[in-house]
């Protein structure tokens, strides 16, 4: 891209969907999460915009000045020369696959958005609105990025996974999540509800670590553990 530097991601390996964890390149594990720019495979990210990039006159009101995307753009090129990109400020993201042409080598491009059918087009409508907003306003519109209601569940499952990796017992996990007083009162309760809750969290954490995280970008409720519905001790609880 002319007149600016773009952080270029490592070239993705073809057919590496499963072996690479479901993304086109492996981010530095020491990089802070808000600084990471993971480019997920389009088959795992139903909101990926598919575009054709045509060189354009920068004065054309329909064209996009590519240097204006520079602050948020990370891009990888596959072995066929196709560009895979993510626009992100660390908290919001828009995924783009350039099926023809280039957004990295042109001063301005006219994008043709490939939306097909009904079921296939629907999950891309919101990402397209987000992309148009960043092109018009130069920012990610908060109103177009509603909070994911599942976020507390994922954070709790991540904490459980970290606890398991550190060798914590289920009782210790329960005490960290629900408080030691609650564990003393209810851990051996006849209903077994608290221990069952912790067992489900442990099951979900292991399932996520074994590849279930690949479904986080989907909205399929059957593809991921059931949501947490209660809160306590400042932490989310299972049902």
């Amino acid at each position: 891209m002319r007149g600016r530097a773009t952080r270029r991601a490592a070239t993705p390996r073809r057919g590496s969907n499963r072996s690479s964890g479901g993304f086109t390149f492996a981010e530095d594990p020491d990089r802070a999460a808000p600084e990471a720019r993971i480019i997920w495979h389009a088959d795992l990210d139903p909101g990926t915009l598919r575009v054709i990039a045509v060189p354009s006159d920068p004065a054309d009101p329909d064209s996009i000045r590519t240097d204006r995307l520079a602050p948020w753009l990370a891009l990888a090129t596959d072995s066929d020369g196709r560009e895979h990109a993510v626009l992100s400020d660390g908290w919001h993201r828009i995924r783009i696959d350039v099926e023809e042409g280039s957004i990295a080598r042109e001063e301005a491009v006219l994008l043709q958005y490939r939306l097909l059918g009904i079921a296939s087009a629907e999950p891309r409508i919101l990402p397209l609105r987000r992309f148009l907003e960043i092109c018009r306003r130069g920012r990610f519109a908060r109103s177009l990025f509603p909070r994911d209601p599942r976020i507390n569940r994922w954070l709790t499952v991540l904490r459980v996974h970290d606890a398991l990796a550190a060798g914590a017992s289920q009782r210790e996990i329960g005490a960290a999540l629900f408080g030691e007083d609650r564990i003393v009162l209810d851990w051996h309760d006849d209903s077994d509800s608290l221990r069952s809750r912790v067992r489900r969290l442990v099951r979900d954490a292991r399932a996520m670590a074994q590849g279930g995280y690949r479904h986080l970008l989907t909205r399929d409720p059957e593809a991921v553990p059931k949501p947490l519905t209660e809160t306590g001790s400042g932490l989310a609880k299972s049902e």
Side-chain angles (χ1 to χ4, degrees):
M1 208 171 279
R2 300 178 183 176
R4 60 97 170 173
T6 304
R7 184 173 69 82
R8 297 297 294 256
T11 301
R13 295 167 292 171
R14 297 188 66 184
S16 62
N17 184 309
R18 186 170 298 277
S19 63
S20 64
F23 37 83
T24 59
F25 69 97
E27 183 61 279
D28 182 350
D30 293 328
R31 189 183 300 276
E35 298 175 4
R37 299 294 183 266
I38 298 296
I39 304 179
W40 292 95
H41 282 279
D43 57 356
L44 294 179
D45 187 347
T48 299
L49 296 175
R50 300 163 55 199
V51 305
I52 295 174
V54 180
S56 178
D57 181 350
D60 185 339
D62 269 335
S63 70
I64 298 170
R65 288 283 302 267
T66 52
D67 60 345
R68 293 179 181 172
L69 302 179
W72 310 285
L73 181 67
L75 183 146
T77 304
D78 66 23
S79 57
D80 293 323
R82 295 190 182 95
E83 294 173 353
H84 306 271
V86 63
L87 295 167
S88 176
D89 62 357
W91 306 102
H92 311 93
R93 58 186 300 280
I94 303 168
R95 262 285 283 121
I96 300 173
D97 273 351
V98 184
E99 298 190 339
E100 296 180 30
S102 170
I103 60 175
R105 297 189 299 270
E106 305 294 341
E107 180 182 2
V109 293
L110 185 67
L111 294 185
Q112 300 174 7
Y113 307 101
R114 302 194 63 183
L115 299 178
L116 304 175
I118 297 175
S120 296
E122 189 171 23
R124 296 179 173 89
I125 298 300
L126 181 56
L128 178 56
R129 291 178 60 203
R130 292 167 172 168
F131 179 69
L132 296 177
E133 181 71 11
I134 201 171
C135 291
R136 284 195 298 258
R137 314 276 186 192
R139 62 180 176 82
F140 291 87
R142 287 188 179 183
S143 61
L144 296 178
F145 289 87
R147 179 181 173 84
D148 189 334
R150 306 171 300 172
I151 190 65
N152 286 339
R153 172 164 59 114
W154 305 146
L155 291 174
T156 301
V157 168
L158 181 60
R159 291 188 63 187
V160 171
H161 174 265
D162 288 347
L164 290 171
S169 67
Q170 291 191 12
R171 192 184 191 285
E172 290 170 332
I173 292 172
L177 294 177
F178 308 125
E180 184 63 37
D181 291 344
R182 178 78 184 278
I183 293 298
V184 171
L185 289 173
D186 297 341
W187 190 249
H188 296 291
D189 186 86
D190 290 341
S191 68
D192 199 35
S193 61
L194 185 59
R195 294 174 69 182
S196 294
R197 241 180 233 148
V198 174
R199 283 195 293 267
R200 285 194 295 272
L201 286 169
V202 168
R203 177 203 64 196
D204 294 348
R206 287 173 174 160
M208 287 296 233
Q210 292 170 1
Y213 66 88
R214 296 187 183 97
H215 301 287
L216 289 177
L217 296 173
T218 74
R219 294 290 177 174
D220 180 3
E222 299 302 322
V224 290
K226 293 181 179 180
L228 306 174
T229 58
E230 299 178 24
T231 57
S233 302
L235 297 169
K237 295 184 181 181
S238 64
E239 58 187 353

